[in-house]
């Protein structure tokens, strides 16, 4: 039995009509007032949809389809992806690039090293320093997970045209960048 309707329903919050439905004559319909701005309804629907997306993403881990489904947690995927895109780097650089602290990277990378997906090596310019690098096994596993996730994206958007997919990706990228900027240390100063 659902314990909280906002977190268990798949529909638009009860205070907002579903798209295309006639507006009900309550405080949320009609022209904007001091209580409700024009954008409030959109922001309410947006925050609700983001909450639903976050819940569903966590439930499925957006693991993809096929053999690679649910096979890599979010932290591992993001770490491996960063090493693949940016190349070998130290813990501090990896942490800064991902917007998390070094202790978190150290904790998250340990099982990746143990499983052979990431290798520790001496820094090419300073043999005392250690860098993390994607191993051949890690690159292969990452490629498998990416293919599975691409297949999931294709499945989820199979009824969309190319323009809709592009617009969604562009807006989601902007949303993620804005969210990252809000949580960056520079934003708090």
């Amino acid at each position: 039995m659902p314990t909280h309707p906002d977190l268990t329903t798949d529909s638009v919050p009860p205070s907002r009509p579903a798209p295309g439905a006639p507006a009900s004559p309550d405080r949320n319909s009609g022209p904007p007032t001091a209580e409700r701005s024009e954008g409030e309804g959109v922001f309410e629907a947006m925050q609700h949809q983001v909450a639903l997306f976050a819940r569903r993403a966590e439930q499925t881990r957006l693991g993809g389809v096929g053999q690679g489904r649910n096979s890599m947690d979010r932290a591992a995927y993001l770490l491996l992806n960063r090493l693949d895109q940016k190349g070998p780097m130290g813990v501090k650089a990896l942490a800064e690039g991902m917007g998390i602290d070094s202790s978190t990277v150290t904790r998250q990378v340990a099982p990746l090293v143990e499983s052979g997906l990431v290798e520790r090596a001496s820094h090419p310019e300073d043999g005392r320093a250690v860098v993390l690098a994607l191993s051949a096994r890690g690159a292969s596993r990452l490629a498998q997970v990416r293919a599975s996730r691409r297949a999931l994206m294709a499945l989820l958007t199979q009824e969309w045209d190319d323009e809709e997919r592009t617009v969604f990706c562009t807006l989601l990228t902007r949303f993620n960048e804005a969210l990252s900027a809000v949580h960056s240390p520079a934003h708090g100063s």
Side-chain angles (χ1 to χ4, degrees):
M1 175 106 176
T3 57
H4 193 287
D6 282 347
L7 297 177
T8 56
T9 181
D10 292 345
S11 63
V12 175
S15 62
R16 304 285 175 228
S24 60
D26 63 11
R27 76 170 196 88
N28 295 316
S29 63
T33 65
E35 289 182 46
R36 185 182 61 81
S37 69
E38 283 185 36
E40 185 179 325
V42 171
F43 293 134
E44 178 65 21
M46 188 184 300
Q47 70 79 25
H48 183 78
Q49 290 303 318
V50 168
L52 288 174
F53 173 78
R55 183 188 71 200
R56 288 195 181 106
E58 191 57 36
Q59 286 172 339
T60 65
R61 294 205 182 263
L62 287 181
V65 294
Q67 196 174 26
R69 188 169 189 266
N70 291 327
S71 58
M72 186 177 289
D73 70 32
R74 179 181 61 241
Y77 176 79
L78 293 172
L79 284 166
L80 295 179
N81 195 59
R82 183 84 181 176
L83 290 171
D84 183 52
Q85 291 179 345
K86 302 295 182 179
M89 64 182 70
V91 169
K92 184 178 178 183
L94 188 55
E96 287 173 359
M98 295 182 67
I100 56 180
D101 63 56
S102 295
S103 64
T104 301
V105 168
T106 299
R107 188 180 72 252
Q108 291 176 346
V109 84
L112 300 176
V113 171
E114 273 183 41
S115 64
L117 300 176
V118 170
E119 298 171 336
R120 285 191 170 107
S122 295
H123 191 284
E125 296 160 13
D126 179 0
R128 298 169 296 168
V130 173
V131 293
L132 301 168
L134 189 63
S135 69
R137 181 173 182 215
S140 173
R141 188 74 192 99
L142 183 60
Q144 182 183 29
V145 170
R146 281 179 177 157
S148 176
R149 289 179 177 194
R150 282 192 306 270
L152 177 62
M153 295 300 107
L155 177 68
L156 295 174
T157 64
Q158 67 187 348
E159 294 183 16
W160 300 14
D161 62 33
D162 288 341
E163 183 180 355
E164 288 172 315
R165 287 185 191 103
T166 300
V167 167
F168 178 75
C169 188
T170 299
L171 293 174
L172 188 58
T173 299
R174 283 178 58 193
F175 184 83
N176 276 320
E177 288 169 350
L179 192 56
S180 180
V182 164
H183 291 289
S184 74
H187 186 78
S189 36

